[in-house]
Short mmCIF file of all heavy atoms in Angstrom, two decimals:
data_model
loop_
_atom_site.label_atom_id
_atom_site.label_comp_id
_atom_site.label_asym_id
_atom_site.label_seq_id
_atom_site.Cartn_x
_atom_site.Cartn_y
_atom_site.Cartn_z
N LEU A 53 -18.70 39.55 -0.82
CA LEU A 53 -17.26 39.44 -1.01
C LEU A 53 -16.82 38.07 -1.20
O LEU A 53 -16.00 37.74 -2.10
CB LEU A 53 -16.52 40.15 0.17
CG LEU A 53 -15.04 40.15 0.14
CD1 LEU A 53 -14.58 41.05 -1.11
CD2 LEU A 53 -14.43 40.74 1.39
N ALA A 54 -17.25 37.08 -0.35
CA ALA A 54 -16.93 35.72 -0.55
C ALA A 54 -17.38 35.14 -1.88
O ALA A 54 -16.68 34.38 -2.51
CB ALA A 54 -17.58 34.90 0.61
N ALA A 55 -18.60 35.55 -2.27
CA ALA A 55 -19.15 35.07 -3.57
C ALA A 55 -18.38 35.51 -4.80
O ALA A 55 -18.31 34.84 -5.78
CB ALA A 55 -20.61 35.46 -3.69
N VAL A 56 -17.74 36.68 -4.58
CA VAL A 56 -16.88 37.14 -5.74
C VAL A 56 -15.49 36.62 -5.72
O VAL A 56 -14.89 36.38 -6.76
CB VAL A 56 -16.87 38.67 -5.70
CG1 VAL A 56 -15.93 39.25 -6.75
CG2 VAL A 56 -18.33 39.27 -5.99
N THR A 57 -14.90 36.48 -4.48
CA THR A 57 -13.50 36.10 -4.43
C THR A 57 -13.23 34.52 -4.35
O THR A 57 -12.33 34.03 -5.00
CB THR A 57 -12.86 36.73 -3.23
OG1 THR A 57 -13.52 36.36 -2.01
CG2 THR A 57 -12.78 38.24 -3.40
N LEU A 58 -14.04 33.84 -3.59
CA LEU A 58 -13.80 32.37 -3.44
C LEU A 58 -13.76 31.58 -4.72
O LEU A 58 -12.88 30.74 -4.90
CB LEU A 58 -14.79 31.81 -2.45
CG LEU A 58 -14.58 32.07 -1.03
CD1 LEU A 58 -15.71 31.45 -0.10
CD2 LEU A 58 -13.25 31.60 -0.47
N PRO A 59 -14.64 31.82 -5.66
CA PRO A 59 -14.58 31.01 -6.89
C PRO A 59 -13.25 31.22 -7.64
O PRO A 59 -12.73 30.33 -8.29
CB PRO A 59 -15.79 31.52 -7.73
CG PRO A 59 -16.72 32.06 -6.71
CD PRO A 59 -15.90 32.60 -5.60
N TRP A 60 -12.76 32.52 -7.63
CA TRP A 60 -11.53 32.75 -8.31
C TRP A 60 -10.37 32.08 -7.63
O TRP A 60 -9.40 31.60 -8.30
CB TRP A 60 -11.25 34.23 -8.44
CG TRP A 60 -12.25 34.83 -9.43
CD1 TRP A 60 -13.37 35.58 -9.23
CD2 TRP A 60 -12.14 34.80 -10.89
NE1 TRP A 60 -13.98 35.89 -10.33
CE2 TRP A 60 -13.29 35.50 -11.39
CE3 TRP A 60 -11.22 34.21 -11.75
CZ2 TRP A 60 -13.50 35.58 -12.78
CZ3 TRP A 60 -11.45 34.33 -13.16
CH2 TRP A 60 -12.56 35.00 -13.65
N ILE A 61 -10.41 32.01 -6.30
CA ILE A 61 -9.36 31.31 -5.60
C ILE A 61 -9.45 29.83 -5.86
O ILE A 61 -8.38 29.12 -6.05
CB ILE A 61 -9.49 31.57 -4.08
CG1 ILE A 61 -9.25 33.06 -3.76
CG2 ILE A 61 -8.60 30.65 -3.26
CD1 ILE A 61 -9.61 33.42 -2.30
N GLU A 62 -10.67 29.23 -5.95
CA GLU A 62 -10.82 27.87 -6.28
C GLU A 62 -10.30 27.59 -7.75
O GLU A 62 -9.57 26.57 -7.94
CB GLU A 62 -12.33 27.48 -6.38
CG GLU A 62 -12.94 27.36 -4.97
CD GLU A 62 -14.45 27.08 -5.10
OE1 GLU A 62 -15.03 27.21 -6.19
OE2 GLU A 62 -15.02 26.60 -4.05
N LEU A 63 -10.61 28.47 -8.65
CA LEU A 63 -10.11 28.32 -10.04
C LEU A 63 -8.65 28.33 -10.13
O LEU A 63 -8.04 27.47 -10.71
CB LEU A 63 -10.76 29.40 -10.95
CG LEU A 63 -10.29 29.34 -12.41
CD1 LEU A 63 -10.82 28.14 -13.08
CD2 LEU A 63 -10.79 30.58 -13.11
N LEU A 64 -8.02 29.33 -9.53
CA LEU A 64 -6.60 29.48 -9.51
C LEU A 64 -5.88 28.28 -8.87
O LEU A 64 -4.96 27.72 -9.47
CB LEU A 64 -6.16 30.83 -8.90
CG LEU A 64 -4.68 31.05 -8.85
CD1 LEU A 64 -4.16 31.16 -10.31
CD2 LEU A 64 -4.36 32.37 -8.15
N ALA A 65 -6.34 27.88 -7.73
CA ALA A 65 -5.72 26.77 -6.99
C ALA A 65 -5.87 25.49 -7.84
O ALA A 65 -4.94 24.73 -7.97
CB ALA A 65 -6.31 26.62 -5.59
N GLY A 66 -7.07 25.32 -8.40
CA GLY A 66 -7.30 24.11 -9.22
C GLY A 66 -6.41 24.09 -10.44
O GLY A 66 -5.82 23.04 -10.82
N LEU A 67 -6.30 25.23 -11.16
CA LEU A 67 -5.46 25.27 -12.31
C LEU A 67 -4.04 25.04 -11.99
O LEU A 67 -3.30 24.36 -12.80
CB LEU A 67 -5.62 26.63 -13.01
CG LEU A 67 -6.96 26.87 -13.73
CD1 LEU A 67 -7.07 28.31 -14.25
CD2 LEU A 67 -7.09 25.92 -14.91
N LEU A 68 -3.52 25.64 -10.93
CA LEU A 68 -2.17 25.43 -10.49
C LEU A 68 -1.88 24.02 -10.19
O LEU A 68 -0.81 23.46 -10.52
CB LEU A 68 -1.80 26.28 -9.31
CG LEU A 68 -1.67 27.79 -9.59
CD1 LEU A 68 -1.51 28.59 -8.27
CD2 LEU A 68 -0.53 28.15 -10.53
N LEU A 69 -2.84 23.32 -9.48
CA LEU A 69 -2.68 21.92 -9.16
C LEU A 69 -2.66 21.03 -10.43
O LEU A 69 -1.82 20.14 -10.52
CB LEU A 69 -3.80 21.49 -8.19
CG LEU A 69 -3.53 20.23 -7.41
CD1 LEU A 69 -2.25 20.35 -6.59
CD2 LEU A 69 -4.73 19.95 -6.49
N VAL A 70 -3.59 21.31 -11.35
CA VAL A 70 -3.55 20.58 -12.67
C VAL A 70 -2.29 20.77 -13.41
O VAL A 70 -1.75 19.81 -13.94
CB VAL A 70 -4.83 20.98 -13.48
CG1 VAL A 70 -4.71 20.51 -14.88
CG2 VAL A 70 -6.10 20.41 -12.83
N ALA A 71 -1.80 22.02 -13.41
CA ALA A 71 -0.57 22.31 -14.15
C ALA A 71 0.66 21.81 -13.43
O ALA A 71 1.75 21.74 -14.09
CB ALA A 71 -0.46 23.79 -14.39
N GLY A 72 0.55 21.47 -12.23
CA GLY A 72 1.74 21.01 -11.50
C GLY A 72 2.65 22.12 -11.00
O GLY A 72 3.81 21.87 -10.72
N VAL A 73 2.10 23.29 -11.03
CA VAL A 73 2.87 24.51 -10.60
C VAL A 73 2.52 24.81 -9.10
O VAL A 73 1.31 24.83 -8.80
CB VAL A 73 2.53 25.69 -11.52
CG1 VAL A 73 3.32 26.94 -11.04
CG2 VAL A 73 2.88 25.33 -12.96
N TRP A 74 3.47 25.02 -8.25
CA TRP A 74 3.25 25.34 -6.93
C TRP A 74 2.30 24.30 -6.24
O TRP A 74 1.27 24.64 -5.66
CB TRP A 74 2.67 26.73 -6.67
CG TRP A 74 3.58 27.86 -7.04
CD1 TRP A 74 4.96 27.80 -7.12
CD2 TRP A 74 3.22 29.18 -7.40
NE1 TRP A 74 5.41 28.97 -7.51
CE2 TRP A 74 4.47 29.87 -7.66
CE3 TRP A 74 2.05 29.87 -7.46
CZ2 TRP A 74 4.48 31.19 -7.97
CZ3 TRP A 74 2.06 31.16 -7.76
CH2 TRP A 74 3.25 31.85 -8.05
N LYS A 75 2.68 23.03 -6.43
CA LYS A 75 1.77 21.94 -5.97
C LYS A 75 1.48 22.05 -4.51
O LYS A 75 0.29 21.87 -4.10
CB LYS A 75 2.38 20.59 -6.31
CG LYS A 75 2.43 20.31 -7.81
CD LYS A 75 3.00 18.93 -8.12
CE LYS A 75 4.45 18.95 -7.89
NZ LYS A 75 5.12 17.73 -8.53
N ARG A 76 2.46 22.18 -3.64
CA ARG A 76 2.27 22.26 -2.23
C ARG A 76 1.38 23.48 -1.82
O ARG A 76 0.53 23.39 -1.01
CB ARG A 76 3.57 22.28 -1.48
CG ARG A 76 4.30 21.02 -1.50
CD ARG A 76 5.62 21.11 -0.68
NE ARG A 76 6.36 19.87 -0.75
CZ ARG A 76 6.31 18.96 0.22
NH1 ARG A 76 5.61 19.10 1.29
NH2 ARG A 76 7.05 17.81 0.07
N GLU A 77 1.71 24.60 -2.47
CA GLU A 77 0.96 25.86 -2.13
C GLU A 77 -0.55 25.70 -2.56
O GLU A 77 -1.41 26.05 -1.80
CB GLU A 77 1.66 27.02 -2.71
CG GLU A 77 2.96 27.37 -2.17
CD GLU A 77 4.09 26.61 -2.79
OE1 GLU A 77 3.88 25.62 -3.64
OE2 GLU A 77 5.33 26.83 -2.47
N SER A 78 -0.72 25.24 -3.74
CA SER A 78 -2.13 25.12 -4.23
C SER A 78 -2.88 24.06 -3.44
O SER A 78 -4.06 24.12 -3.17
CB SER A 78 -2.16 24.80 -5.75
OG SER A 78 -1.46 23.61 -6.08
#
Side-chain angles (χ1 to χ4, degrees):
L53 182 61
V56 171
T57 57
L58 284 178
W60 289 100
I61 295 169
E62 288 178 342
L63 178 66
L64 182 60
L67 287 174
L68 289 172
L69 200 56
V70 167
V73 179
W74 294 339
K75 292 182 283 192
R76 288 184 183 260
E77 293 84 354
S78 57

